Amino acid sequence: MKNLKFLFLIISIITLYSCNSNSSKQISIIPKPDSLVVNGGEFTINNETAIVYDEQFKNYENLADYLNQRLSVTNVKLNVKSELPSSNYMHFAFNGEIKNEEGYTFKSTSDGITISASNARGIFYGIQTLLQLLPAEIYSKEKSDLDLTIQNVSIIDEPRFKYRGAHLDVGRHFYSTDDVKKYIDYIAMHKMNKFHWHLTEDQGWRIEIKKYPKLTEIGAWRKETMGDGKKHGGFYTQEEVKEIVKYAEDRFITVIPEIEMPGHSLGALAAYPELSCTGGPFEVETIFGVHKDVYCAGNEKTFELLENVLLEVIDLFPSKYIHIGGDECPKDRWEKCSKCQARIHKEGLKNEHELQSYFIKRIEDFLLTKDRLIIGWDEILEGGLAPNATVMSWRGIEGGIEAAKQGNDVIMTPTSHCYFDYYQGNPENEPVAIGGYLPLSKVYSYEPIPEELSEDEAKHVKGTQANVWSEYLPEFKDVEYMLLPRLAALSEVCWSPKEKRNLDDFLKRLSEQINRYEVAGINYAKSSYNVSIGTKLSENKNSFDIELSTELSGAEIYYTLDGTEPNNNSEKYSKPFNINSTKEIKAVSYSNGKLMSKVSTKKILIHKAFGKKISIKTPYSERYDAGGEFGLVDGIYGSSSFTAGGWQGYEGNDFEAIVDLGEKVNINKVNSSYLQRINSWIFMPEYVEYSFSDDGEIFSDPTKIDNTIPNTSGAVEVKNFEINVNDMTTRYIKVFAKNIEKCPEWHTGAGGKAWIFVDEITVE
Ligand code: ACM
Ligand code: ZN
């Protein structure tokens, strides 16, 4: 009893303290620490705060330099002292009991801060945590007189996975050394520790190799990109590479270079065409995709060049692991090449897949003699896996499962959860929309250990990685947009124990992380602030319940119903509401008085065909079904996003449907809408016809409307095909839309089936 009372007293004091303290705002650390206790009271860092290292960390003055660099936006600079004072200290303490070399404990009291670890890496992560206990402005580039007060906390923390990576493709677009350093800073900020640098591609060779100057003289430059007529390129000198590697090292990040082989190698082949099967000539590729010309696997000179390149690479990169690519290597040239066929014969290989395996194993053997190991994309499993290779599973998780079962190490980077070139929000609102859809919450939901693996096999899963392919990211600000805040979600997947991950809790902490991005001037994606307009048909099927939400919690939503642009003077959303007449809903979100989202729009049409019976006479696509037949009279208008679900797609065939109004009804107007998006092979119909009937059997002569939008228009177009019928009485309405059937001659899909996308048939 006595003890309980005492405990109660302590808790009351702690609570009182944390309520009264002016710095007791919510603590938002990402990735979430293993345990965090707020103890009450606070500590303020000032110019007199002494940094003191334990003996074991004496060689790591750069930790103090790093911290001072971060503090340089304030008026505070810390000095390293040899004696630990009794108060006002920042102690980097050695604690050999902390087994995880990246683990640390962090304790702040009114006397000072103690970060303990068994390795300098742990101290570094303790510093990252300190930065996140400070005001977000510590991430600013502008100097200010910041108050460096933190709450008194006890934190025990360590990462779940050893491999916590982010990849950057500099082949498709080149980014400056300063930009690459920024990227490394973002990795460090999220307590991640691997930078996978994709340095060679069909579209450009980006690393200076002294022995082969043509690799960059020729291979680093392409004459244009996808027909834009603009020369593009660049490369990193060896001095710049060293600078970047050092910069990463100071942040305890290993740079893993990727020298891609045998495919994706036109950058090199443009410089040295004799290393191809055909002899070339080649240009550095200007079109994205997978290309058939690859290194000749039968030519000894290929291996000579690659080994010499790797010799220079391993001198520049201390990483134990060298990534050798291995993905997307078509075998067309090898099948027809006498040298490749001779190699297959001589080595007793079964086919070209085994030839690829020969290629990779030979490179692995070479690197093993230099005490380095290879990482390759999951295609290196085909034809037999190199014995010591680590597999990066990207085409799903199956490659990772297979490799782990074979006893090889694995890094999980499936497209489904780790491809940060996929779009994040509504594609209408995205600057670039490639591949699939990967919103923040889906990244957060990722579990890197496949269920199929036993406990022992699972030990081979070393971690996970974000991949940022740059085909459609011409500028570094585009990279920032794709990376953040999704990297925050992945960092927690990498760091936090599986059972402690919680999306709602993450999203609450993310608001502060976003403040940090904001003050740092990073072009992070605000997709999570875009408003989703949820529509649910009411029970009597004559109105809609509308629910507005954002992926990110804490945003304020404002909306209009008359088609005008909303702002924070518009109606503020608090709970779902009902709509029983035609309305155009527009919604935006704000945070701290600042507009955070694009405008989301949904048109609701309550009209005479709404909810009526419809029979569709031609087959529609299962992928784009608009929710089935009812989708065309469901009162919801398709948006300009073809994937958003409002549209019904017809591949190569016409569209024909009959709407039954249930009884003879007086009508004035009939409309149906169509989408054109020629990049996706979706074209306007050639014409649309309407005809009418009282009995559903004998129809009037059709009224025809021709399309007026050129099918060469690259813009996303939505067109209404509307007719006025002036007080006509009818029960059945037939709608027919003529498909152009085949993509036109000039189109990239020439001769392929053209699509019609139709939505809402409205009758007024
Ligand atoms: C890849 O995305 N081709 C590894
Ligand atoms: Zn060949």
Side-chain angles (χ1 to χ4, degrees):
M1 194 61 199
K2 205 171 154 195
N3 280 345
L4 262 183
K5 258 191 189 155
F6 180 69
L7 193 66
F8 184 68
L9 187 71
I10 294 285
I11 290 171
S12 312
I13 289 170
I14 289 174
T15 317
L16 257 176
Y17 250 107
S18 33
C19 294
N20 287 343
S21 158
N22 52 18
S23 60
S24 72
K25 60 178 225 174
Q26 192 203 317
I27 289 177
S28 298
I29 298 171
I30 287 180
K32 189 180 170 109
D34 207 3
S35 90
L36 182 156
V37 179
V38 180
N39 296 322
E42 55 193 34
F43 174 71
T44 303
I45 301 172
N46 58 32
N47 271 315
E48 278 71 52
T49 306
I51 297 190
V52 182
Y53 293 84
D54 277 358
E55 188 59 34
Q56 289 83 350
F57 300 132
K58 282 285 188 310
N59 293 330
Y60 287 95
E61 281 114 15
N62 51 3
L63 287 170
D65 292 346
Y66 177 84
L67 181 56
N68 269 325
Q69 247 173 50
R70 305 311 308 227
L71 296 181
S72 66
V73 300
T74 72
N75 291 316
V76 172
K77 182 170 187 299
L78 307 184
N79 291 305
V80 178
K81 303 260 166 67
S82 51
E83 289 294 313
L84 187 66
S86 59
S87 66
N88 205 0
Y89 55 79
M90 169 98 58
H91 184 193
F92 296 158
F94 178 78
N95 180 349
E97 309 265 283
I98 297 174
K99 294 294 173 234
N100 187 325
E101 64 167 24
E102 296 185 302
Y104 69 96
T105 64
F106 183 104
K107 189 165 174 65
S108 47
T109 70
S110 304
D111 288 330
I113 296 170
T114 308
I115 302 174
S116 308
S118 59
N119 186 292
R121 291 170 182 276
I123 302 289
F124 182 75
Y125 294 132
I127 293 173
Q128 293 306 323
T129 290
L130 168 64
L131 294 174
Q132 297 198 352
L133 290 166
L134 290 167
E137 286 71 23
I138 197 73
Y139 290 91
S140 170
K141 291 187 185 70
E142 279 167 37
K143 210 168 168 101
S144 67
D145 200 9
L146 262 191
D147 175 7
L148 300 180
T149 299
I150 65 166
Q151 299 180 63
N152 287 345
V153 294
S154 306
I155 293 171
I156 303 171
D157 201 11
E158 63 174 22
R160 177 181 176 199
F161 288 106
K162 269 195 153 72
Y163 189 108
R164 306 182 301 281
H167 144 290
L168 182 64
D169 168 15
V170 295
R172 273 54 175 265
H173 282 99
F174 176 76
Y175 310 108
S176 72
T177 299
D178 281 347
D179 287 337
V180 174
K181 287 182 182 171
K182 281 188 207 163
Y183 197 82
I184 287 169
D185 276 330
Y186 306 152
I187 296 177
M189 176 182 185
H190 295 85
K191 298 193 174 92
M192 298 178 80
N193 63 1
K194 300 286 187 284
F195 171 44
H196 170 177
W197 201 8
H198 185 81
L199 281 164
T200 71
E201 255 307 334
D202 293 316
Q203 290 80 13
W205 182 283
R206 304 280 176 236
I207 175 171
E208 178 192 24
I209 300 294
K210 304 271 193 201
K211 199 174 171 89
Y212 301 101
K214 280 197 291 182
L215 283 172
T216 43
E217 281 165 17
I218 295 172
W221 306 94
R222 61 178 183 257
K223 68 170 193 261
E224 61 178 13
T225 304
M226 304 293 277
D228 71 356
K230 290 185 206 146
K231 183 174 169 178
H232 182 100
F235 66 92
Y236 307 94
T237 64
Q238 294 205 348
E239 284 314 304
E240 286 167 332
V241 169
K242 284 179 200 162
E243 197 180 310
I244 285 169
V245 168
K246 169 78 170 68
Y247 192 84
E249 223 166 56
D250 284 345
R251 286 150 185 77
F252 298 89
I253 290 167
T254 308
V255 185
I256 300 174
E258 179 177 352
I259 305 297
E260 171 94 75
M261 61 190 82
H264 287 290
S265 48
L266 275 166
L269 296 181
Y272 298 98
E274 62 274 24
L275 304 185
S276 70
C277 293
T278 64
F282 307 103
E283 288 191 330
V284 179
E285 188 52 64
T286 63
I287 304 287
F288 301 127
V290 175
H291 301 283
K292 289 186 177 149
D293 288 293
V294 303
Y295 290 113
C296 175
N299 186 346
E300 277 308 296
K301 286 211 154 54
T302 296
F303 294 96
E304 185 186 313
L305 174 125
L306 288 173
E307 289 177 7
N308 284 326
V309 165
L310 289 170
L311 281 177
E312 292 191 32
V313 166
I314 60 184
D315 272 350
L316 293 166
F317 294 90
S319 169
K320 179 93 178 162
Y321 290 90
I322 306 290
H323 203 303
I324 49 75
D327 62 315
E328 298 181 323
C329 177
K331 308 297 187 287
D332 306 54
R333 298 291 183 260
W334 291 0
E335 283 164 12
K336 300 209 164 63
C337 169
S338 58
K339 288 189 194 134
C340 286
Q341 292 305 315
R343 174 88 71 197
I344 287 178
H345 186 73
K346 178 168 163 246
E347 300 291 334
L349 306 173
K350 278 211 225 36
N351 54 31
E352 288 72 23
H353 288 296
E354 290 200 355
L355 182 58
Q356 161 139 349
S357 178
Y358 163 88
F359 197 119
I360 302 294
K361 282 178 184 159
R362 188 164 158 179
I363 296 293
E364 177 183 80
D365 284 344
F366 173 75
L367 285 170
L368 281 172
T369 66
K370 310 291 167 204
D371 201 23
R372 304 298 176 103
L373 295 167
I374 63 163
I375 303 179
W377 300 108
D378 59 41
E379 285 93 331
I380 66 170
L381 280 152
E382 295 163 10
L385 186 54
N388 300 290
T390 296
V391 171
M392 211 166 244
S393 189
W394 72 279
R395 293 175 300 176
I397 61 172
E398 292 73 22
I401 294 170
E402 194 183 329
K405 283 188 184 292
Q406 290 184 32
N408 289 62
D409 284 348
V410 167
I411 293 143
M412 301 301 289
T413 65
T415 53
S416 58
H417 292 81
C418 298
Y419 267 47
F420 285 15
D421 54 340
Y422 284 15
Y423 65 87
Q424 302 168 65
N426 185 338
E428 284 173 84
N429 289 331
E430 297 274 301
V432 277
I434 324 143
Y437 175 49
L438 178 54
L440 182 69
S441 50
K442 186 166 180 193
V443 176
Y444 195 81
S445 74
Y446 184 50
E447 170 45 42
I449 306 270
E451 280 174 3
E452 290 84 344
L453 296 183
S454 71
E455 209 171 299
D456 269 351
E457 289 162 349
K459 289 184 186 137
H460 288 294
V461 178
K462 295 301 168 192
T464 178
Q465 166 175 300
N467 288 345
V468 181
W469 298 103
S470 64
E471 282 92 334
Y472 301 97
L473 310 177
E475 294 182 47
F476 188 71
K477 69 179 172 52
D478 305 318
V479 171
E480 293 182 334
Y481 183 94
M482 297 316 251
L483 188 72
L484 301 171
R486 287 186 290 193
L487 193 69
L490 196 72
S491 78
E492 209 138 298
V493 171
C494 291
W495 186 278
S496 309
K498 182 181 174 187
E499 63 284 358
K500 286 201 181 161
R501 266 193 279 145
N502 176 301
L503 180 64
D504 286 340
D505 175 67
F506 167 73
L507 292 173
K508 279 190 198 119
R509 280 175 291 116
L510 187 65
S511 302
E512 181 64 8
Q513 187 81 344
I514 280 179
N515 284 340
R516 293 171 190 136
Y517 302 155
E518 188 80 36
V519 296
I522 300 171
N523 182 40
Y524 66 95
K526 297 188 179 76
S527 326
S528 303
Y529 282 101
N530 287 340
V531 180
S532 296
I533 304 174
T535 46
K536 197 164 144 255
L537 199 56
S538 63
E539 261 172 39
N540 51 14
K541 294 206 167 179
N542 61 6
S543 68
F544 283 98
D545 293 323
I546 308 295
E547 188 168 0
L548 307 181
S549 60
T550 57
E551 193 177 30
L552 212 56
S553 47
E556 293 174 352
I557 299 174
Y558 298 88
Y559 66 96
T560 59
L561 297 176
D562 57 2
T564 57
E565 293 301 292
N567 59 37
N568 55 355
N569 293 318
S570 310
E571 193 75 29
K572 185 171 175 184
Y573 177 79
S574 59
K575 59 179 197 305
F577 56 90
N578 185 269
I579 279 182
N580 61 8
S581 61
T582 294
K583 293 274 188 277
E584 185 166 8
I585 307 168
K586 289 187 181 237
V588 286
S589 79
Y590 280 71
S591 177
N592 300 322
K594 196 168 166 217
L595 177 67
M596 298 305 280
S597 71
K598 303 274 174 54
V599 179
S600 298
T601 301
K602 198 167 250 181
K603 231 167 153 175
I604 303 283
L605 298 116
I606 309 287
H607 54 91
K608 287 184 172 165
F610 167 60
K612 294 295 188 295
K613 193 163 164 248
I614 176 167
S615 50
I616 296 179
K617 305 293 180 191
T618 44
Y620 53 83
S621 147
E622 280 180 21
R623 255 194 306 158
Y624 305 107
D625 68 355
E629 302 212 328
F630 178 67
L632 297 187
V633 287
D634 67 355
I636 300 167
Y637 229 53
S639 67
S640 55
S641 152
F642 76 107
T643 52
W647 295 98
Q648 200 166 74
Y650 291 80
E651 188 180 13
N653 51 3
D654 303 328
F655 161 67
E656 185 178 328
I658 295 173
V659 179
D660 176 0
L661 298 175
E663 58 186 338
K664 286 216 258 178
V665 176
N666 218 15
I667 67 168
N668 283 296
K669 254 191 225 170
V670 182
N671 179 50
S672 53
S673 307
Y674 301 82
L675 176 78
Q676 178 160 291
R677 185 177 152 124
I678 66 169
N679 290 348
S680 306
W681 303 24
I682 304 166
F683 293 87
M684 283 294 159
E686 211 172 306
Y687 58 85
V688 174
E689 285 178 345
Y690 299 101
S691 46
F692 303 91
S693 166
D694 288 344
D695 59 8
E697 288 182 14
I698 302 169
F699 279 84
S700 63
D701 286 343
T703 307
K704 182 174 169 191
I705 311 171
D706 286 319
N707 175 38
T708 52
I709 295 187
N711 66 13
T712 47
S713 169
V716 177
E717 309 268 6
V718 175
K719 179 176 163 60
N720 294 327
F721 287 71
E722 183 181 272
I723 56 166
N724 286 302
V725 290
N726 279 336
D727 234 0
M728 174 206 249
T729 307
T730 189
R731 174 167 172 179
Y732 296 92
I733 304 169
K734 186 192 282 183
V735 186
F736 176 82
K738 181 75 190 140
N739 194 324
I740 65 163
E741 290 177 13
K742 287 191 173 137
C743 297
E745 280 303 303
W746 50 266
H747 188 260
T748 48
K753 286 180 184 171
W755 290 76
I756 283 184
F757 266 47
V758 57
D759 188 29
E760 202 70 4
I761 300 168
T762 60
V763 179
E764 287 169 52

